Amino acid sequence: MTQLYVAQPPAIYLVRPPLVVDCSVLAALLFDEPQRDVAAAQIAGVALHAPVLLESELVSVALRKSRAGMADAAALGLKDYAALSIELHRVDLRAQFEVARRGGLSAYDAAYLCLAAELRAPLATFDRRLGEAAAQHLGELA
């Protein structure tokens, strides 16, 4: 009988499923917000994706933290972001406009949803409105 050998590279080289993450998830993680542990568990073992606007949104959160007297936490959060591996994407503007218009979403939220639809990937968010719109929109994809 011939023996079957299966050799695999280390887990870091195996394909990880994609996950689109919005600013609320990363802000919870990076700025040590109450939902931090939930966010950390959700992003473990996946390939993170976001629209390019993510970085400006994170800077906005850091500014709010800094202005509220948490300058050290803001600086540390931005430093920790630099260590994350997140693939940033441009989003089709017409699609973003239509998704925002139809779903009653902000242009920012529509960018995350468009990217999730384009990648055929789940979208992680703590935003109820975006989460509900994503469940409907992604559920209708063919």
Side-chain angles (χ1 to χ4, degrees):
M1 178 174 209
T2 304
Q3 183 173 350
L4 172 65
Y5 296 93
V6 178
Q8 294 187 31
I12 194 167
Y13 296 107
L14 297 176
V15 174
R16 297 179 304 155
L19 176 69
V20 174
V21 289
D22 81 343
C23 184
S24 69
V25 173
L26 291 178
L29 182 70
L30 296 170
F31 301 109
D32 205 23
E33 293 180 355
Q35 310 91 340
R36 183 186 193 290
D37 292 341
V38 173
Q42 185 62 51
I43 70 168
V46 298
L48 300 177
H49 297 266
V52 294
L53 67 92
L54 169 70
E55 292 183 335
S56 293
E57 286 193 304
L58 286 173
V59 167
S60 181
V61 173
L63 282 169
R64 282 195 305 271
K65 299 282 185 187
S66 181
R67 291 173 181 154
M70 298 179 279
D72 290 343
L76 182 59
L78 292 177
K79 179 183 173 196
D80 289 346
Y81 169 75
L84 291 176
S85 178
I86 301 176
E87 187 172 340
L88 299 177
H89 302 262
R90 292 182 57 87
V91 175
D92 179 89
L93 298 179
R94 290 173 301 214
Q96 181 181 358
F97 175 82
E98 284 303 317
V99 167
R101 187 183 62 75
R102 280 194 319 261
L105 298 172
S106 71
Y108 307 106
D109 288 348
Y112 290 99
L113 183 47
C114 283
L115 180 58
E118 180 182 326
L119 297 176
R120 300 293 200 257
L123 170 63
T125 182
F126 285 113
D127 182 291
R128 180 190 55 78
R129 175 181 257 174
L130 176 55
E132 289 173 357
Q136 179 176 350
H137 186 75
L138 297 175
E140 293 172 354
L141 295 178

